């Protein structure tokens, strides 16, 4: 009993005090069938910052930005949930402050963003009125970072085109916070998003929640998602808490297209992680291989 008690105390201390402060780069080298094998593209992925003091301070975000820029990606994508989502904080960092730091991200093909559910839930005016752009979106755009909501843009790298599509959030509105009934919870429209793609060039889809995966057609080469934090606790490839289900909880998954679910950087509910350290994801398309941390 004493041994189990000591193990529990040490695990709790590690989960609260050690792992949440770590930062690793997880690399995926992929060759999806829909992506030309000789078309090399490096994508840095930042997900689920949940900016707050002391757990995700501006200094820590600056370090994440510097580490990401140091990876020399061709493109950097931000997958949402920039705002704090827990009560155990000293300060919620205003959107203008964390967005200004993210504005220092640099990549030849630019920095591109979508919003997450907490970015929507945190804006009480948008929740009450059932429309509008959340403060997080306004802050990102003020920092020079475009935010995609059911939109797509054609990009060209090394003389070859591809499409970057961004899905609206699937959990944007919380029914309990609204005074009138909701027709739907999300602002996502996959049909509209993919309908903006006008040629046969390969497609990368950004979707905060990975839940959309079963509906994503094979026309898409790669889906990049966050939201789950890998459960924040992951043991032997299993997450006790899996917001999007075990299959979509973390890592590289194959359905109609290749899917990468990031474990994210911040924490939700409480600042605790075991077995899934905060990570920047670096995806290299046009190469076959496995994830390397």
């Amino acid at each position: 009993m004493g041994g189990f008690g000591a193990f529990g105390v040490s695990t709790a201390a590690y989960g609260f005090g050690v792992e949440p402060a770590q930062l690793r780069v997880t690399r995926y080298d992929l060759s999806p069938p829909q992506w030309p094998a000789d078309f090399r593209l490096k994508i840095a992925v930042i997900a689920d910052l949940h900016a707050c003091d002391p757990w995700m301070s501006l200094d820590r975000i600056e370090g994440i930005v510097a580490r990401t820029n140091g990876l020399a990606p061709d493109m950097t994508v931000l997958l949402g949930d920039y705002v704090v989502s827990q009560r155990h904080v000293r300060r919620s960092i205003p959107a203008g402050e964390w967005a200004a730091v993210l504005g220092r991200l640099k990549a030849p093909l630019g920095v591109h963003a979508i919003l997450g559910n907490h970015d929507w839930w945190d804006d009480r005016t948008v929740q009450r009125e059932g429309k509008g752009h959340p403060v997080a979106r306004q802050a990102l755009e003020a920092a020079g970072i475009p935010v995609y909501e059911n939109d797509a843009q054609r990009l060209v790298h090394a003389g070859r085109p591809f499409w970057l599509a961004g899905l609206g959030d699937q959990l944007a509105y919380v029914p309990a916070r609204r005074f009138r009934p909701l027709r739907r919870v999300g602002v996502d429209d996959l049909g509209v998003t993919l309908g903006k793609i006008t040629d046969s060039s390969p497609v990368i889809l950004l979707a905060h929640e990975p839940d959309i995966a079963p509906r994503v057609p094979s026309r898409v080469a790669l889906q990049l998602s966050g939201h789950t934090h890998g459960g924040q606790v992951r043991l032997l490839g299993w997450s006790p808490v899996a917001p999007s289900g075990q299959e979509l909880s973390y890592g590289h998954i194959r359905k109609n297209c290749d899917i990468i679910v990031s474990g994210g950087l911040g924490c939700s509910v409480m600042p605790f992680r075991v077995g899934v350290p905060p990570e920047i994801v670096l995806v290299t398309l046009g190469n076959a291989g496995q994830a390397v941390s």
Side-chain angles (χ1 to χ4, degrees), residues 60-234:
R60 181 158 167 76
I61 298 172
E62 288 175 356
I64 291 167
V65 167
R67 185 83 177 270
T68 303
N69 288 341
L71 296 172
D74 299 309
M75 176 175 67
T76 296
V77 298
L78 312 179
L79 299 185
D81 273 8
Y82 313 96
V83 305
V84 65
S85 65
Q86 57 173 310
R87 297 180 180 178
H88 308 281
V89 301
R90 189 166 63 236
R91 181 178 82 108
S92 297
I93 298 175
E97 296 182 21
W98 54 253
V101 177
L102 292 177
R104 301 171 195 167
L105 287 163
K106 303 297 180 184
L109 294 177
V111 181
H112 310 264
I114 57 173
L115 298 184
N117 55 304
H118 286 286
D119 304 317
W120 284 88
W121 295 356
D122 188 66
D123 192 317
R124 296 183 179 180
T125 301
V126 168
Q127 289 295 311
R128 182 177 63 252
E129 296 182 358
K131 61 181 180 180
H133 296 321
V135 170
R137 174 171 180 169
Q138 298 173 43
L140 286 165
E141 291 178 337
I145 299 174
V147 178
Y148 294 63
E149 184 179 313
N150 302 322
D151 207 353
Q153 181 176 354
R154 190 176 187 266
L155 302 172
V156 178
H157 176 59
R160 304 177 74 164
F162 69 96
W163 288 88
L164 182 66
L167 189 68
D169 190 71
Q170 300 160 64
L171 299 173
Y173 291 108
V174 182
R177 296 187 184 180
R178 293 286 311 287
F179 295 111
R180 52 184 181 273
L182 284 173
R183 292 184 179 179
R184 57 183 310 210
V185 172
V187 294
D188 57 300
D189 194 321
L190 185 62
V192 166
T193 303
L194 299 183
K196 295 180 179 180
I197 295 168
T198 57
D199 62 30
S200 60
S201 303
V203 180
I204 298 168
L205 175 67
L206 311 181
H208 177 68
E209 295 90 359
D211 305 53
I212 195 71
R215 295 174 46 208
V216 174
S218 58
R219 170 73 179 87
V220 173
L222 175 66
Q223 173 185 324
L224 296 172
S225 295
H227 180 63
T228 69
H229 302 197
Q232 287 187 200
V233 175
R234 190 164 177 84

